[in-house]
Amino acid sequence: MRLFFIMKFAFLNRAIRKYMLFVHNHIFYRSVEWEGKENIPTDGSGIIVAANHQNAICGPFLTQFMYGTRQINVFAMGKAFSIPVLGSLMRWFGVMPAYRMRTDGVENVSRNGEAFNIAAEKLLNGETVVIYPEATNQVRRWLGEFSLGYLKLAFGAAEKGGFEKEIKIVPAAEHFNDYFRWQGRALLRFGEPVALSPYYELYREKPRQACREVNNIVRERVHELMLDVRDDENYEAIDRILQKDRQNNERSMLENLKAEQARLAEIENMQADDRRVLFERALNGEFDEKRHVTPWYVLMKVLLFPLFLISMVPNGLVLLLPEPLVRKIGRLGEKFRMFASGIRYVVSGFIGIPIVYGVTFILECVFVSWWFALVHLLLLPWLLVFGVRYIKDF
C-alpha cells in the first residue's frame, strides 16, 4: 500500500510538472531559450548552479524547466515555507528554504543548517542544486555582490564526503525582455563550470580564502554571460538605448543579448561628454521605438477584433484572476514589483486555466455538445496567446 501511494504521488508530480512546463514554454512566454547546456557536467559530479536573480519567481522556473520534468533542488525564501499549503507544495517540488537575516530575522538564520545538510547529501549523490548568491532578486539588469554561502555549502559537502567527491559550480545568467507581462521572451545561459577539487587543499588550510578565490571566478563568469549595467546614475537612459535590441523578435534572444552587450561596451568606452549628450538624447525619447501605423495595419486590427473578443471568452477571467494580488504586492515597493510575472504565471497557469477551462468545458457539454466543448477546450490556450499578443500590440 505504501509503495502504491509513493508511485501515485510520483506520477502526479510528473504530470503537474509536464503541465506547468507546457504553460511556461508555450503559453506564458513567447519563446524560451537555453544556451550552453553542454557546460552542465554529466560525469556524476555534484552540481551547484549559481545564477544571477533577475525576475523573482520566474527565474527558478526558467532553470527548473531546462531540466524538463526531472526534479532539481532550488533554494527559495524561507518565509514562504511558513504558509502551510504553499510550504508543503514547495517541498514536494524539491524547493528548499533559505533563511536570510534581512527577510526572515536573525532568529531563523540558524535554521539553514537543516536545509544545507539536505543539500549537501544531494550534492554527494550527484544531484543538482540551484542557488542565487546575490541572496535577493534584482530590480534592474545588473549583478549584485555574491554571498559566500553557496561555496560554504559546496565545500562543506565535499568535506562531508572526505573530499573524495567532485563538486562543480556552474555559472548561469537569466535574461528577460519583459519582466512583467505575458508573452515575453526568456533566456538562460550556462558558463564553463568551476571544479572545486583543485581548491580542496587550500580550503583545509584557509577556508575563507578558498571561498573568495572561487567566488571571484564564478561571479566574473556570471557577469560575462549577462547584461550588467553598472552605471546606476544613468541606468534609465542606458536601458532606453538598449531597449530596441531587446525587443527585436526577428532574432533569437541570445543574438539580442549579445547586441545589447556590444552596445553597452561602446557606451562605456565613450568620452564623458559624448556619453552625457547620448544620455540626454535617450531621456528625450530619441531612441524609443516608434511604430509606423499603416492603414493596412489598422484594417487588420479591425478585422481581427471579433476574433479577439471570442478569444477573451473565458480567457479574460484567466488574465484578470491574478491582477488584484499583483497590484497588492506591487504597492509594497519596487523590489516586490518583480514578483508580477511570477504571480501571473502561477495564479493563471496553476489555478486559473484548470478551473476556468474545466468549468467552461462542463457547461458547454451540458448546454451545447461534447464535441464542441472538446474542440473549444483544445483551442482555448492558443486563443489566449492570440488575445495577449493582440493586447500587447497596442
Side-chain angles (χ1 to χ4, degrees):
M1 183 64 69
R2 179 180 173 83
L3 178 61
F4 169 76
F5 279 108
I6 291 174
M7 292 177 64
K8 181 179 178 180
F9 279 108
F11 171 78
L12 182 61
N13 189 300
R14 287 194 298 272
I16 292 175
R17 286 175 182 275
K18 285 184 179 180
Y19 164 74
M20 294 302 288
L21 185 149
F22 170 76
V23 173
H24 182 272
N25 290 2
H26 302 289
I27 306 300
F28 190 76
Y29 283 105
R30 185 187 185 100
S31 68
V32 179
E33 300 174 30
W34 294 280
E35 191 259 340
K37 291 183 181 180
E38 67 279 3
N39 288 318
I40 299 176
T42 56
D43 57 2
S45 303
I47 300 170
I48 289 183
V49 176
N52 68 325
H53 202 7
Q54 288 285 298
N55 199 1
I57 301 172
C58 285
F61 279 120
L62 182 61
T63 308
Q64 166 65 74
F65 291 134
M66 195 284 296
Y67 289 85
T69 58
R70 172 185 158 196
Q71 179 170 307
I72 59 173
N73 309 282
V74 183
F75 276 99
M77 182 174 63
K79 186 175 289 186
F81 288 81
S82 62
I83 305 173
V85 176
L86 179 60
S88 299
L89 284 172
M90 292 171 72
R91 287 189 173 88
W92 192 42
F93 276 93
V95 182
M96 296 178 291
Y99 298 97
R100 300 170 182 122
M101 189 179 303
R102 184 180 61 257
T103 56
D104 302 294
V106 66
E107 67 279 4
N108 286 313
V109 174
S110 60
R111 299 172 64 185
N112 283 327
E114 178 185 354
F116 272 39
N117 286 333
I118 295 173
E121 290 293 337
K122 293 181 181 295
L123 290 172
L124 291 175
N125 289 331
E127 296 185 41
T128 299
V129 173
V130 180
I131 197 165
Y132 296 92
E134 292 169 287
T136 185
N137 62 280
Q138 301 297 341
V139 298
R140 297 178 177 182
R141 292 175 171 85
W142 57 33
L143 187 62
E145 294 302 318
F146 281 11
S147 165
L148 297 180
Y150 74 108
L151 289 170
K152 293 176 182 177
L153 166 61
F155 279 115
E159 186 175 22
K160 190 173 184 178
F163 292 105
E164 294 180 359
K165 180 75 174 182
E166 178 67 270
I167 308 292
K168 294 181 178 178
I169 312 294
V170 178
E174 307 165 355
H175 188 62
F176 301 86
N177 79 329
D178 188 337
Y179 282 142
F180 307 108
R181 298 178 296 174
W182 288 70
Q183 284 293 295
R185 303 175 72 194
L187 167 67
L188 179 63
R189 306 180 72 190
F190 297 95
E192 183 183 352
V194 180
L196 295 190
S197 55
Y199 297 90
Y200 285 169
E201 192 61 39
L202 176 61
Y203 180 79
R204 287 189 183 99
E205 298 176 3
K206 300 178 180 179
R208 188 163 182 80
Q209 182 179 338
C211 289
R212 284 199 301 265
E213 288 187 15
V214 175
N215 183 63
N216 290 339
I217 297 171
V218 173
R219 190 180 182 282
E220 182 59 30
R221 290 184 184 179
V222 173
H223 160 74
E224 292 170 355
L225 293 169
M226 63 176 287
L227 184 68
D228 186 8
V229 182
R230 301 183 180 185
D231 189 345
D232 183 16
E233 182 179 354
N234 299 295
Y235 180 88
E236 182 183 351
I238 294 172
D239 195 58
R240 292 175 75 164
I241 295 170
L242 302 180
Q243 188 72 15
K244 187 173 183 179
D245 283 319
R246 187 176 307 139
Q247 301 301 339
N248 189 333
N249 289 324
E250 296 179 1
R251 299 184 305 207
S252 70
M253 273 288 283
L254 180 59
E255 291 173 319
N256 285 351
L257 173 58
K258 289 183 176 180
E260 287 187 76
Q261 289 176 318
R263 181 60 172 152
L264 178 61
E266 291 177 4
I267 294 172
E268 291 175 340
N269 291 327
M270 292 174 66
Q271 297 293 327
D273 289 342
D274 293 335
R275 274 204 309 271
R276 179 178 53 77
V277 173
L278 181 68
F279 294 156
E280 289 176 356
R281 291 168 56 196
L283 294 175
N284 287 330
E286 188 170 329
F287 296 96
D288 293 353
E289 184 180 3
K290 297 176 177 63
R291 175 175 292 176
H292 299 286
V293 180
T294 65
W296 288 109
Y297 176 84
V298 175
L299 177 62
M300 181 187 68
K301 285 298 176 185
V302 171
L303 292 176
L304 288 176
F305 186 68
L307 180 58
F308 166 71
L309 293 178
I310 292 172
S311 74
M312 288 294 101
V313 182
N315 282 316
L317 292 175
V318 174
L319 295 178
L320 292 174
L321 190 62
E323 293 311 305
L325 182 57
V326 169
R327 289 193 293 270
K328 182 177 180 180
I329 294 294
R331 286 194 291 267
L332 297 177
E334 184 179 23
K335 188 175 289 290
F336 289 92
R337 289 183 65 237
M338 304 307 295
F339 285 82
S341 59
I343 292 172
R344 289 183 173 118
Y345 166 66
V346 172
V347 175
S348 291
F350 200 76
I351 300 172
I353 288 178
I355 293 177
V356 173
Y357 285 15
V359 171
T360 301
F361 177 75
I362 293 171
L363 290 176
E364 289 177 343
C365 282
V366 173
F367 295 102
V368 187
S369 67
W370 69 266
W371 62 265
F372 177 87
L374 180 60
V375 171
H376 192 206
L377 179 66
L378 295 175
L379 289 176
L380 278 176
W382 312 115
L383 288 171
L384 174 60
V385 171
F386 168 80
V388 170
R389 291 191 182 182
Y390 190 94
I391 293 170
K392 287 190 73 171
D393 245 5
F394 285 98

mmCIF file of all heavy atoms in Angstrom, residues 30-31 78 100 106 134 152 156 172 190 199 204 212 214 226-227 263 288 294 335 342 344 348 356 374 380:
data_model
loop_
_atom_site.group_PDB
_atom_site.id
_atom_site.type_symbol
_atom_site.label_atom_id
_atom_site.label_comp_id
_atom_site.label_asym_id
_atom_site.label_seq_id
_atom_site.Cartn_x
_atom_site.Cartn_y
_atom_site.Cartn_z
ATOM 1 N N ARG A 30 6.557 33.876 -25.007
ATOM 2 C CA ARG A 30 6.573 33.834 -26.474
ATOM 3 C C ARG A 30 7.645 32.866 -26.953
ATOM 4 O O ARG A 30 7.458 32.112 -27.903
ATOM 5 C CB ARG A 30 6.845 35.244 -27.020
ATOM 6 C CG ARG A 30 6.773 35.364 -28.532
ATOM 7 C CD ARG A 30 7.211 36.745 -28.981
ATOM 8 N NE ARG A 30 7.048 36.929 -30.408
ATOM 9 C CZ ARG A 30 6.037 37.566 -30.965
ATOM 10 N NH1 ARG A 30 5.088 38.092 -30.198
ATOM 11 N NH2 ARG A 30 5.959 37.696 -32.280
ATOM 12 N N SER A 31 8.794 32.887 -26.285
ATOM 13 C CA SER A 31 9.859 31.927 -26.584
ATOM 14 C C SER A 31 10.737 31.777 -25.354
ATOM 15 O O SER A 31 10.885 32.709 -24.564
ATOM 16 C CB SER A 31 10.708 32.387 -27.783
ATOM 17 O OG SER A 31 11.467 33.546 -27.452
ATOM 18 N N GLY A 78 12.893 31.606 2.774
ATOM 19 C CA GLY A 78 12.401 30.777 3.859
ATOM 20 C C GLY A 78 11.030 31.166 4.361
ATOM 21 O O GLY A 78 10.246 30.311 4.782
ATOM 22 N N ARG A 100 17.281 34.266 5.535
ATOM 23 C CA ARG A 100 18.223 35.384 5.494
ATOM 24 C C ARG A 100 17.861 36.371 6.589
ATOM 25 O O ARG A 100 16.676 36.607 6.853
ATOM 26 C CB ARG A 100 18.193 36.051 4.118
ATOM 27 C CG ARG A 100 18.576 35.080 2.991
ATOM 28 C CD ARG A 100 18.312 35.659 1.622
ATOM 29 N NE ARG A 100 18.642 34.698 0.593
ATOM 30 C CZ ARG A 100 17.786 34.239 -0.326
ATOM 31 N NH1 ARG A 100 16.541 34.676 -0.337
ATOM 32 N NH2 ARG A 100 18.162 33.349 -1.224
ATOM 33 N N VAL A 106 16.986 37.348 12.412
ATOM 34 C CA VAL A 106 18.183 36.654 12.884
ATOM 35 C C VAL A 106 17.841 35.349 13.579
ATOM 36 O O VAL A 106 18.631 34.390 13.567
ATOM 37 C CB VAL A 106 18.992 37.589 13.820
ATOM 38 C CG1 VAL A 106 18.202 37.881 15.098
ATOM 39 C CG2 VAL A 106 20.349 36.985 14.146
ATOM 40 N N GLU A 134 23.298 36.213 -4.977
ATOM 41 C CA GLU A 134 23.001 37.609 -4.641
ATOM 42 C C GLU A 134 22.081 37.695 -3.422
ATOM 43 O O GLU A 134 21.947 38.769 -2.835
ATOM 44 C CB GLU A 134 22.331 38.307 -5.830
ATOM 45 C CG GLU A 134 23.253 38.507 -7.021
ATOM 46 C CD GLU A 134 22.489 38.937 -8.246
ATOM 47 O OE1 GLU A 134 21.784 38.089 -8.835
ATOM 48 O OE2 GLU A 134 22.579 40.117 -8.632
ATOM 49 N N LYS A 152 30.269 27.860 0.880
ATOM 50 C CA LYS A 152 30.349 27.154 2.158
ATOM 51 C C LYS A 152 29.564 25.848 2.065
ATOM 52 O O LYS A 152 29.987 24.817 2.611
ATOM 53 C CB LYS A 152 29.810 28.040 3.279
ATOM 54 C CG LYS A 152 30.676 29.259 3.562
ATOM 55 C CD LYS A 152 30.048 30.156 4.630
ATOM 56 C CE LYS A 152 30.904 31.398 4.866
ATOM 57 N NZ LYS A 152 30.275 32.325 5.853
ATOM 58 N N GLY A 156 31.505 22.443 2.161
ATOM 59 C CA GLY A 156 31.029 21.656 3.291
ATOM 60 C C GLY A 156 30.587 20.270 2.862
ATOM 61 O O GLY A 156 30.837 19.270 3.568
ATOM 62 N N ALA A 172 25.554 30.711 -14.191
ATOM 63 C CA ALA A 172 24.398 30.837 -15.085
ATOM 64 C C ALA A 172 23.869 32.263 -15.030
ATOM 65 O O ALA A 172 24.091 32.991 -14.063
ATOM 66 C CB ALA A 172 23.298 29.847 -14.692
ATOM 67 N N PHE A 190 24.399 29.091 -19.577
ATOM 68 C CA PHE A 190 25.292 28.393 -18.663
ATOM 69 C C PHE A 190 26.733 28.579 -19.128
ATOM 70 O O PHE A 190 27.039 28.435 -20.317
ATOM 71 C CB PHE A 190 24.962 26.893 -18.611
ATOM 72 C CG PHE A 190 23.594 26.598 -18.083
ATOM 73 C CD1 PHE A 190 22.523 26.406 -18.951
ATOM 74 C CD2 PHE A 190 23.361 26.518 -16.724
ATOM 75 C CE1 PHE A 190 21.257 26.134 -18.474
ATOM 76 C CE2 PHE A 190 22.093 26.250 -16.223
ATOM 77 C CZ PHE A 190 21.039 26.060 -17.110
ATOM 78 N N TYR A 199 40.865 23.192 -5.236
ATOM 79 C CA TYR A 199 40.886 24.112 -4.099
ATOM 80 C C TYR A 199 40.686 23.386 -2.766
ATOM 81 O O TYR A 199 40.646 24.042 -1.725
ATOM 82 C CB TYR A 199 39.790 25.172 -4.259
ATOM 83 C CG TYR A 199 39.967 26.051 -5.473
ATOM 84 C CD1 TYR A 199 39.402 25.683 -6.693
ATOM 85 C CD2 TYR A 199 40.700 27.233 -5.404
ATOM 86 C CE1 TYR A 199 39.567 26.472 -7.818
ATOM 87 C CE2 TYR A 199 40.870 28.030 -6.530
ATOM 88 C CZ TYR A 199 40.300 27.640 -7.730
ATOM 89 O OH TYR A 199 40.463 28.433 -8.843
ATOM 90 N N ARG A 204 41.237 23.305 3.234
ATOM 91 C CA ARG A 204 41.601 22.688 4.512
ATOM 92 C C ARG A 204 42.395 23.659 5.383
ATOM 93 O O ARG A 204 42.236 23.707 6.605
ATOM 94 C CB ARG A 204 42.442 21.426 4.269
ATOM 95 C CG ARG A 204 41.659 20.236 3.723
ATOM 96 C CD ARG A 204 42.548 18.996 3.733
ATOM 97 N NE ARG A 204 41.899 17.832 3.157
ATOM 98 C CZ ARG A 204 42.072 17.402 1.918
ATOM 99 N NH1 ARG A 204 42.891 18.068 1.100
ATOM 100 N NH2 ARG A 204 41.451 16.323 1.494
ATOM 101 N N ARG A 212 36.715 32.789 -1.326
ATOM 102 C CA ARG A 212 36.844 34.077 -2.028
ATOM 103 C C ARG A 212 37.421 33.892 -3.427
ATOM 104 O O ARG A 212 36.962 34.524 -4.387
ATOM 105 C CB ARG A 212 37.711 35.039 -1.213
ATOM 106 C CG ARG A 212 37.019 35.661 -0.007
ATOM 107 C CD ARG A 212 37.747 36.917 0.449
ATOM 108 N NE ARG A 212 39.126 36.632 0.807
ATOM 109 C CZ ARG A 212 39.556 36.382 2.028
ATOM 110 N NH1 ARG A 212 38.682 36.369 3.028
ATOM 111 N NH2 ARG A 212 40.825 36.134 2.282
ATOM 112 N N VAL A 214 37.356 31.210 -5.430
ATOM 113 C CA VAL A 214 36.379 30.590 -6.326
ATOM 114 C C VAL A 214 35.248 31.559 -6.632
ATOM 115 O O VAL A 214 34.786 31.661 -7.781
ATOM 116 C CB VAL A 214 35.823 29.293 -5.704
ATOM 117 C CG1 VAL A 214 34.717 28.718 -6.583
ATOM 118 C CG2 VAL A 214 36.933 28.269 -5.515
ATOM 119 N N MET A 226 25.767 37.804 -18.855
ATOM 120 C CA MET A 226 24.546 38.595 -18.710
ATOM 121 C C MET A 226 24.749 40.039 -19.148
ATOM 122 O O MET A 226 25.856 40.450 -19.523
ATOM 123 C CB MET A 226 24.094 38.574 -17.249
ATOM 124 C CG MET A 226 25.093 39.209 -16.300
ATOM 125 S SD MET A 226 24.525 39.288 -14.580
ATOM 126 C CE MET A 226 23.287 40.597 -14.679
ATOM 127 N N LEU A 227 23.671 40.792 -19.097
ATOM 128 C CA LEU A 227 23.740 42.240 -19.297
ATOM 129 C C LEU A 227 23.881 42.874 -17.926
ATOM 130 O O LEU A 227 22.962 42.839 -17.116
ATOM 131 C CB LEU A 227 22.469 42.745 -19.989
ATOM 132 C CG LEU A 227 22.473 44.240 -20.323
ATOM 133 C CD1 LEU A 227 23.499 44.542 -21.412
ATOM 134 C CD2 LEU A 227 21.088 44.699 -20.758
ATOM 135 N N ARG A 263 26.625 46.983 -27.493
ATOM 136 C CA ARG A 263 26.240 48.396 -27.430
ATOM 137 C C ARG A 263 26.616 48.998 -26.079
ATOM 138 O O ARG A 263 27.102 50.140 -26.002
ATOM 139 C CB ARG A 263 24.732 48.515 -27.671
ATOM 140 C CG ARG A 263 24.202 49.950 -27.655
ATOM 141 C CD ARG A 263 24.854 50.794 -28.714
ATOM 142 N NE ARG A 263 24.228 52.088 -28.824
ATOM 143 C CZ ARG A 263 24.848 53.192 -29.229
ATOM 144 N NH1 ARG A 263 26.136 53.134 -29.568
ATOM 145 N NH2 ARG A 263 24.213 54.334 -29.313
ATOM 146 N N ASP A 288 13.479 55.737 -28.323
ATOM 147 C CA ASP A 288 12.261 54.964 -28.094
ATOM 148 C C ASP A 288 11.738 54.423 -29.421
ATOM 149 O O ASP A 288 11.823 55.093 -30.464
ATOM 150 C CB ASP A 288 11.183 55.830 -27.435
ATOM 151 C CG ASP A 288 11.577 56.240 -26.028
ATOM 152 O OD1 ASP A 288 12.609 55.750 -25.538
ATOM 153 O OD2 ASP A 288 10.861 57.050 -25.421
ATOM 154 N N THR A 294 0.178 51.826 -40.395
ATOM 155 C CA THR A 294 -0.328 51.992 -41.759
ATOM 156 C C THR A 294 -1.823 51.714 -41.796
ATOM 157 O O THR A 294 -2.380 51.072 -40.901
ATOM 158 C CB THR A 294 0.388 51.012 -42.706
ATOM 159 O OG1 THR A 294 0.034 49.671 -42.331
ATOM 160 C CG2 THR A 294 1.894 51.180 -42.617
ATOM 161 N N LYS A 335 11.082 46.427 -5.434
ATOM 162 C CA LYS A 335 11.590 45.060 -5.447
ATOM 163 C C LYS A 335 10.456 44.050 -5.566
ATOM 164 O O LYS A 335 10.590 43.007 -6.215
ATOM 165 C CB LYS A 335 12.425 44.787 -4.195
ATOM 166 C CG LYS A 335 13.149 43.449 -4.212
ATOM 167 C CD LYS A 335 14.046 43.300 -3.020
ATOM 168 C CE LYS A 335 15.247 44.213 -3.112
ATOM 169 N NZ LYS A 335 16.184 43.776 -4.178
ATOM 170 N N GLY A 342 5.765 36.302 -12.102
ATOM 171 C CA GLY A 342 5.672 35.015 -11.424
ATOM 172 C C GLY A 342 4.286 34.765 -10.866
ATOM 173 O O GLY A 342 3.756 33.655 -10.946
ATOM 174 N N ARG A 344 1.513 36.092 -12.018
ATOM 175 C CA ARG A 344 0.625 35.862 -13.165
ATOM 176 C C ARG A 344 0.766 34.433 -13.677
ATOM 177 O O ARG A 344 -0.227 33.772 -14.004
ATOM 178 C CB ARG A 344 0.943 36.870 -14.271
ATOM 179 C CG ARG A 344 0.497 38.287 -13.924
ATOM 180 C CD ARG A 344 0.744 39.261 -15.054
ATOM 181 N NE ARG A 344 0.148 40.560 -14.736
ATOM 182 C CZ ARG A 344 0.833 41.697 -14.607
ATOM 183 N NH1 ARG A 344 2.142 41.703 -14.781
ATOM 184 N NH2 ARG A 344 0.219 42.813 -14.295
ATOM 185 N N SER A 348 -2.533 32.265 -12.786
ATOM 186 C CA SER A 348 -3.287 31.986 -14.015
ATOM 187 C C SER A 348 -3.036 30.567 -14.509
ATOM 188 O O SER A 348 -3.970 29.859 -14.896
ATOM 189 C CB SER A 348 -2.908 32.990 -15.109
ATOM 190 O OG SER A 348 -3.378 34.280 -14.795
ATOM 191 N N VAL A 356 -11.045 27.573 -14.801
ATOM 192 C CA VAL A 356 -11.875 28.272 -15.797
ATOM 193 C C VAL A 356 -12.134 27.373 -17.002
ATOM 194 O O VAL A 356 -13.277 27.265 -17.486
ATOM 195 C CB VAL A 356 -11.201 29.590 -16.229
ATOM 196 C CG1 VAL A 356 -11.967 30.228 -17.390
ATOM 197 C CG2 VAL A 356 -11.143 30.559 -15.059
ATOM 198 N N LEU A 374 -15.089 19.953 -26.527
ATOM 199 C CA LEU A 374 -13.738 19.416 -26.660
ATOM 200 C C LEU A 374 -12.891 20.249 -27.614
ATOM 201 O O LEU A 374 -11.731 20.581 -27.318
ATOM 202 C CB LEU A 374 -13.807 17.964 -27.146
ATOM 203 C CG LEU A 374 -12.459 17.249 -27.328
ATOM 204 C CD1 LEU A 374 -11.699 17.202 -26.009
ATOM 205 C CD2 LEU A 374 -12.662 15.852 -27.892
ATOM 206 N N LEU A 380 -8.579 26.813 -26.680
ATOM 207 C CA LEU A 380 -8.508 27.891 -25.691
ATOM 208 C C LEU A 380 -7.083 28.382 -25.403
ATOM 209 O O LEU A 380 -6.854 29.596 -25.330
ATOM 210 C CB LEU A 380 -9.198 27.465 -24.391
ATOM 211 C CG LEU A 380 -10.717 27.621 -24.369
ATOM 212 C CD1 LEU A 380 -11.307 27.075 -23.073
ATOM 213 C CD2 LEU A 380 -11.100 29.090 -24.536
#
